[in-house]
Amino acid sequence: MMDICVFCGARDGGRPDYMKAARAMGHAIARSGGRLVYGGGHVGMMGAVADATLELGGEVVGVMPHALIEAEIAHRGLTELVEVDSMHARKEKMAALSDGFVALPGGMGTFEEIFEQITWAQLGIHRKPCGFLNVAGYFDAATTLIDHAVAEGFVNAEYRAMLTFAETPEALLEAFDAYAPPRSKWSAEPVTP
């Protein structure tokens, strides 16, 4: 049972598959007995993953800066809505509340959020798994980019291997259960929890 942080779009995206995948991810988290931790919105894929988790009786914790709550995009039916002062505080709180991080299709914010967590894992700031729900090949280009960075000597293969790309939420959560963190980038030994 893991508390899973999901990063995803505040829009529906251009394919029905994206919203369907958001709902499937929410259902999988609820079925696993873990909590969903996410950005707290009621719109787009964010709203879909939260609603789907709640629909099956799962707990959902949203984390949102005051300014966005005041802009009335906060989901009002969550188990808990944590208000923070800034986007930086939001990411820090989401990371503290989570046992693993999943990116669903989304835009620049989604990319920034998941890659920050990948970097933190690489540096040994946390020992939590990071993965991508690769809906309709959405993250194929990210795989190509990361593999290119490995080939060009900018990313160690062991840090590429720590990333999970899966086509179903169940496969992603199963990989998270089996996750073994790599050694910290600046240490010969694995980091301690």
Side-chain angles (χ1 to χ4, degrees):
M1 176 169 60
M2 298 177 82
D3 294 337
I4 302 295
C5 181
V6 172
F7 304 121
C8 61
R11 296 181 180 190
D12 294 3
R15 297 173 186 248
D17 289 347
Y18 299 146
M19 291 293 277
K20 182 179 175 184
R23 293 187 53 73
M25 189 77 233
H27 286 161
I29 292 169
R31 281 191 208 101
S32 77
R35 289 186 310 174
L36 167 66
V37 177
Y38 85 120
H42 70 83
V43 294
M45 292 183 64
M46 291 175 72
V49 72
D51 288 342
T53 306
L54 293 165
E55 186 177 277
L56 293 188
E59 292 187 16
V60 179
V61 178
V63 182
M64 186 173 275
H66 305 298
L68 293 180
I69 292 172
E70 291 170 8
E72 299 183 358
I73 65 166
H75 194 302
R76 298 297 181 181
L78 304 178
T79 308
E80 182 180 1
L81 180 62
V82 179
E83 295 185 39
V84 294
D85 292 327
S86 67
M87 293 297 280
H88 291 293
R90 178 193 218 180
K91 292 185 296 180
E92 185 176 12
K93 185 66 172 178
M94 290 168 75
L97 292 171
S98 303
D99 300 315
F101 306 92
V102 173
L104 273 63
M108 298 299 187
T110 301
F111 302 152
E112 185 268 336
E113 289 166 331
I114 191 64
F115 278 100
E116 180 173 59
Q117 293 308 320
I118 293 166
T119 302
W120 288 8
Q122 177 179 285
L123 294 173
I125 294 170
H126 67 67
R127 297 171 52 90
K128 303 171 185 180
C130 299
F132 297 80
L133 187 59
N134 195 19
V135 182
Y138 187 80
F139 289 112
D140 287 352
T143 305
T144 300
L145 176 63
I146 295 165
D147 290 342
H148 179 66
V150 172
E152 294 297 319
F154 289 102
V155 175
N156 289 344
E158 68 186 304
Y159 300 126
R160 167 61 179 91
M162 76 181 185
L163 304 178
T164 300
F165 288 83
E167 294 182 7
T168 68
E170 293 77 15
L172 197 54
L173 294 178
E174 186 176 311
F176 278 20
D177 284 340
Y179 178 73
R183 66 179 175 82
S184 170
K185 183 174 183 175
W186 306 118
S187 168
E189 299 297 323
V191 294
T192 56

